[in-house]
Amino acid sequence: MGVVSILTHSFTDGYNREFGRVFGGGLERYILDLCSVIRGLGHIPEVHQLSYFEAFQTRTEQIDVFGYAYDMNDVPEAFDRMAAAARGPVIYASCLWQPITYKPGSLGICHGINWDRPGLPLETKQQVAEHIQLALDGLVRIVSVDSHFQTFCRAACTYTDPRQVVLIPNAVDTSYFTPAPPTRTLEQEREDEWLAAWKSDLASHEENVGAVISGVQVAEGKGKTSVDGADSGKHEGDCDREGPVEKKAVDARVTSARPLRIIYPRRISMERGIIPMMLAADKLLGAFPDLEIEFAGELVEGSTVGRAFRYWHRTHPHADRINQRTYDFRDIREAYHQADIAVIPTVFSEGTSYACLEAMSCGLPVIASNVGGLNDLIQDGFNGLLVPPGEQELTAALVRLVQDRAERERLGIYARETALSYDLSRWRSRWSTVLESFLAETGLKEGIRG
């Protein structure tokens, strides 16, 4: 047994000075899951991270965490200090685009390309390629969460071993992030039968989109929010199979339990597309009076984006239909269960988004920007909608799904099917293989130092 040291720019909340709380972002979730894999192999994980404030030491989620104050213009120097203090073999879990001097024999992780901004100066992008080359030269292996970084390395850098960059996409616990039981109200005597049929359909994962879930007829409300084609009884993708397909008919009156809800399950930040989402929300809330929008993500209080969002929400004419809440990792499923559409409107810097995978696993139709690893997850028109980053196309896609319940259900069913191939068990297995090889090579010679 020995210590494995993870070096990163963020894990506990160094943005808001809440050092004892794991920050609710994808990187932080990833590190938490990675620590679980390390512990499962019989070793002890520790995390070294940057702090926007003072240095700190804490323990959370059974993990020792060390925070380092640093100069924002000299991140590599801070990573040098972290590597020097590490008590075991080192995993560089972020900032590979920085000119870091890597500790020999270490492992690296790339969580997505964050220099994919069209307006970024060419000189800066060339410098990034040079820094990634340093990572390829200095690390024994780099794990990439999406295919785009792998392709970037092959196109912009040189290395001899094709196994040096290992593709392990992000994952989702599909046994936990499941579609919500229907929230619609049935006649009491038929509710048990309907719920049993729903559970049977979920367990079988059949591709038959004419099954019970999508076969229930729903009145979505009145006026502008009415859904086109809700009574058609047949959806695109239905086909005849050999032999009869048994379907349970539910002859019960059904009413909508709540307004239609759109969820933005992202950090409230520029790269995550908060500005186009706010602009789209302005138009949608004005056009659809029975629509709600929830912003379910972290907000850095005092930041420029954070202050702008707070002001926008506070002064909005439809503020009563805008919700903002920060969820714990373990609570976010409830937000998906209360939603009808998920939006991942990333502008730049995206890997294989946890939020996108979670929403898909919960059977939600997803509208996503065609940025980074989102292209690995969404096939436009099959299991979600892909749009260029920006407000105009995002708004049009949202209007399309708000008005078409049948398409929402069809996309959601195939989203769930897609998510099953990204199950967390596969991620753990692949990471265990990488770590076993890596730790065998290091021999954990340092052991545990005081």
Side-chain angles (χ1 to χ4, degrees):
M1 175 185 287
V3 171
V4 179
S5 304
I6 299 174
L7 279 52
T8 179
H9 73 274
S10 177
F11 181 54
T12 64
D13 189 357
Y15 302 104
N16 296 300
R17 224 172 195 161
E18 298 180 23
F19 302 129
R21 180 182 76 92
V22 176
F23 189 72
L27 168 66
E28 295 79 9
R29 173 86 63 88
Y30 191 102
I31 292 173
L32 194 61
D33 286 341
L34 183 58
C35 287
S36 176
V37 175
I38 292 170
R39 197 178 290 112
L41 293 175
H43 302 295
I44 300 172
E46 66 176 19
V47 175
H48 300 256
Q49 70 167 85
L50 304 183
S51 171
Y52 281 95
F53 300 97
E54 68 274 11
F56 68 88
Q57 180 175 347
T58 188
R59 184 172 177 81
T60 184
E61 301 286 345
Q62 300 180 322
I63 303 165
D64 288 327
V65 184
F66 306 89
Y68 297 73
Y70 73 107
D71 181 345
M72 293 187 68
N73 296 317
D74 198 358
V75 171
E77 184 275 336
F79 271 81
D80 287 345
R81 284 187 282 129
M82 289 193 284
R87 297 184 295 168
V90 171
I91 300 175
Y92 291 84
S94 68
C95 294
L96 300 192
W97 58 90
Q98 295 277 353
I100 294 172
T101 301
Y102 296 96
K103 184 176 180 179
S106 298
L107 190 70
I109 305 171
C110 182
H111 295 274
I113 291 175
N114 71 349
W115 54 94
D116 56 341
R117 285 166 274 178
L120 202 65
L122 180 59
E123 180 181 357
T124 301
K125 295 185 177 184
Q126 291 172 336
Q127 288 177 346
V128 168
E130 294 171 2
H131 299 163
I132 297 300
Q133 186 66 59
L134 291 176
L136 287 165
D137 294 341
L139 297 168
V140 296
R141 191 165 290 111
I142 299 174
V143 172
S144 174
V145 306
D146 64 28
S147 64
H148 297 262
F149 176 75
Q150 189 178 54
T151 300
F152 175 86
C153 290
R154 291 170 175 168
C157 304
T158 59
Y159 53 102
T160 57
D161 185 356
R163 299 168 298 176
Q164 188 175 357
V165 181
V166 181
L167 176 61
I168 305 181
N170 286 349
V172 61
D173 185 349
T174 59
S175 66
Y176 179 75
F177 288 97
T178 57
T183 57
R184 297 154 183 145
T185 303
L186 300 176
E187 293 179 354
Q188 187 62 44
E189 63 270 18
R190 304 302 299 276
E191 187 166 352
D192 291 342
E193 177 185 352
W194 195 81
L195 184 58
W198 176 85
K199 288 181 178 179
S200 175
D201 180 81
L202 177 61
S204 67
H205 304 304
E206 291 183 351
E207 295 182 357
N208 175 25
V209 296
V212 175
I213 296 177
S214 58
V216 177
Q217 304 302 316
V218 180
E220 294 266 358
K222 299 178 181 180
K224 296 180 181 178
T225 56
S226 62
V227 177
D228 295 334
D231 296 324
S232 64
K234 188 169 181 66
H235 299 257
E236 181 182 344
D238 283 347
C239 59
D240 295 329
R241 300 183 181 183
E242 294 185 8
V245 178
E246 183 179 353
K247 300 179 183 178
K248 279 189 175 289
V250 180
D251 184 18
R253 292 191 299 275
V254 184
T255 58
S256 178
R258 54 173 172 76
L260 197 74
R261 176 172 289 192
I262 296 170
I263 185 172
Y264 167 94
R266 314 306 316 273
R267 291 199 315 271
I268 295 175
S269 61
M270 291 294 292
E271 71 274 14
R272 295 297 177 240
I274 186 60
I275 299 302
M277 185 62 207
M278 289 161 62
L279 293 172
D282 287 341
K283 295 181 179 179
L284 287 159
L285 291 167
F288 300 97
D290 293 330
L291 180 70
E292 296 179 347
I293 299 179
E294 179 169 28
F295 293 83
E298 294 275 5
L299 184 149
V300 178
E301 298 291 352
S303 66
T304 301
V305 173
R307 292 198 308 271
F309 178 84
R310 292 290 192 211
Y311 178 80
W312 173 80
H313 187 187
R314 185 173 63 251
T315 61
H316 203 281
H318 305 294
D320 60 323
R321 292 188 282 126
I322 300 171
N323 303 302
Q324 192 274 321
R325 177 182 169 187
T326 298
Y327 288 84
D328 182 83
F329 296 141
R330 301 163 186 83
D331 298 331
I332 187 64
R333 181 181 66 172
E334 300 310 311
Y336 295 123
H337 283 181
Q338 294 300 315
D340 301 279
I341 302 169
V343 187
I344 314 291
T346 306
V347 177
F348 64 92
S349 185
E350 185 69 83
T352 43
S353 163
Y354 276 112
C356 185
L357 282 168
E358 290 167 355
M360 293 173 73
S361 189
C362 286
L364 287 179
V366 176
I367 298 172
S369 301
N370 56 1
V371 173
L374 294 171
N375 293 301
D376 291 344
L377 301 178
I378 300 293
Q379 296 183 45
D380 185 43
F382 170 69
N383 58 1
L385 299 180
L386 279 176
V387 297
E391 177 270 326
Q392 185 174 353
E393 290 84 359
L394 177 64
T395 301
L398 281 165
V399 169
R400 171 179 166 183
L401 289 193
V402 165
Q403 294 181 322
D404 194 338
R405 181 177 67 87
E407 184 169 24
R408 293 200 305 270
E409 290 182 342
R410 180 177 61 81
L411 294 176
I413 287 171
Y414 289 116
R416 169 67 182 178
E417 294 294 324
T418 302
L420 293 173
S421 64
Y422 289 87
D423 185 72
L424 184 61
S425 61
R426 298 187 182 188
W427 183 89
R428 290 180 179 276
S429 175
R430 297 188 66 185
W431 251 114
S432 293
T433 300
V434 169
L435 283 171
E436 286 173 343
S437 175
F438 167 62
L439 295 176
E441 292 172 4
T442 64
L444 284 177
K445 294 177 182 178
E446 295 90 342
I448 302 177
R449 299 204 304 265

